Amino acid sequence: MRRITREEYPLETLQRLVNGVTFFKELIQSEPEQFELLMSVTQFVTADTDEVVIHQSDSANTLYFLIRGQLAVINEEQPDVILNEINPGEMFGVMAMVLNNKRSASIKVSSRTVLLAGIDYQHFSDRSDSSMFSLNTKISFFRMLNNNIRWNLEQKKIEDPNHPLIAKLRTLPIYSGIRNTHEELDFLYSQAHTQSELLQEWNEA
């Protein structure tokens, strides 16, 4: 992977491209200053055909969004077997990042080129620090993570409607407090870990 240059992708072009990612789009509409800040700390990188952008067992402190191109999820022991595909607008690496685990699979470029946006999890994981990103931005970030993990859990449920872990899935709490508060942020942070642990248990089973 290599970082892009402003000659390749001017800022206006990048802003238009990330509009296809819900998290970025919501910030553009609700908090333009926070969006500009997010753009300033986001790492935009590109990679070419068959290049591995994430290796199995890599550390997982960055959340990636696929902006342009196509990616394939593989196991390095069977590199020709595609386990899943990642399409533009989708994020990947959520579970390992939240649980601070190593990457469980490798991801390689399956199109001619790809453009990725990477966000350091450290910007959001410290819930007490609002010197950079606001409370509302962090809440939006963790809502996004929880929605993604929940979607993956629901896919598991559809694949195996009789799986014994479905009972545990049904017991996951639902937030009923006041929205857009530190209480909600704490709940979402905890929920992301709980759901990630459940997804990991399901994958291992």
Side-chain angles (χ1 to χ4, degrees):
M1 290 192 295
R2 64 176 178 83
R3 292 202 177 201
I4 63 168
T5 65
R6 287 291 181 242
E7 289 73 23
E8 293 174 294
Y9 289 93
L11 183 58
E12 297 77 12
T13 301
L14 286 177
Q15 289 177 338
R16 186 177 69 254
L17 289 172
V18 299
N19 199 45
V21 177
T22 302
F23 179 55
F24 285 85
K25 185 177 181 179
E26 287 178 350
L27 277 187
I28 293 172
Q29 296 171 345
S30 62
E31 298 189 69
E33 291 183 359
Q34 288 282 284
F35 169 73
E36 291 178 9
L37 182 58
L38 180 64
M39 290 292 287
S40 72
V41 300
T42 299
Q43 298 179 17
F44 290 96
V45 295
T46 186
D48 299 321
T49 304
D50 291 331
E51 186 174 346
V52 177
V53 298
I54 283 181
H55 288 274
Q56 210 165 321
S57 298
D58 277 354
S59 59
N61 59 347
T62 303
L63 177 64
Y64 286 102
F65 299 86
L66 178 58
I67 306 301
R68 174 179 283 177
Q70 194 87 22
L71 294 168
V73 181
I74 60 171
N75 186 310
E76 291 193 353
E77 295 177 358
Q78 297 177 298
D80 295 328
V81 178
I82 296 177
L83 304 176
N84 200 359
E85 292 183 339
I86 301 171
N87 301 305
E90 294 181 351
M91 72 185 83
F92 55 96
V94 176
M95 183 183 72
M97 180 191 71
V98 169
L99 297 178
N100 194 27
N101 289 341
K102 301 295 184 180
R103 304 289 188 187
S104 60
S106 296
I107 297 177
K108 71 173 184 178
V109 181
S110 56
S111 56
R112 189 169 64 86
T113 60
V114 296
L115 176 65
L116 303 173
I119 300 176
D120 191 331
Y121 186 49
Q122 187 175 355
H123 293 311
F124 295 90
S125 58
D126 186 349
R127 290 160 288 157
S128 63
D129 181 12
S130 57
S131 60
M132 179 174 288
F133 290 110
S134 68
L135 172 64
N136 285 342
T137 299
K138 289 190 175 185
I139 287 174
S140 295
F141 180 82
F142 279 102
R143 282 176 184 161
M144 170 188 66
L145 294 189
N146 278 290
N147 288 340
N148 176 267
I149 303 165
R150 183 70 189 216
W151 184 86
N152 282 287
L153 286 168
E154 291 296 334
Q155 293 304 304
K156 295 288 186 183
K157 178 181 174 182
I158 291 171
E159 292 168 7
D160 187 357
N162 298 313
H163 198 285
L165 287 175
I166 289 178
K168 187 179 288 189
L169 176 61
R170 290 178 177 143
T171 66
L172 291 177
I174 297 174
Y175 182 68
S176 59
I178 301 173
R179 288 171 61 86
N180 301 319
T181 60
H182 282 286
E183 181 186 9
E184 183 184 10
L185 178 59
D186 289 341
F187 173 86
L188 292 170
Y189 180 86
S190 176
Q191 186 81 323
H193 281 76
T194 302
Q195 290 196 129
S196 293
E197 288 169 351
L198 178 56
L199 182 57
Q200 182 181 50
E201 185 179 355
W202 211 314
N203 287 338
E204 292 173 349

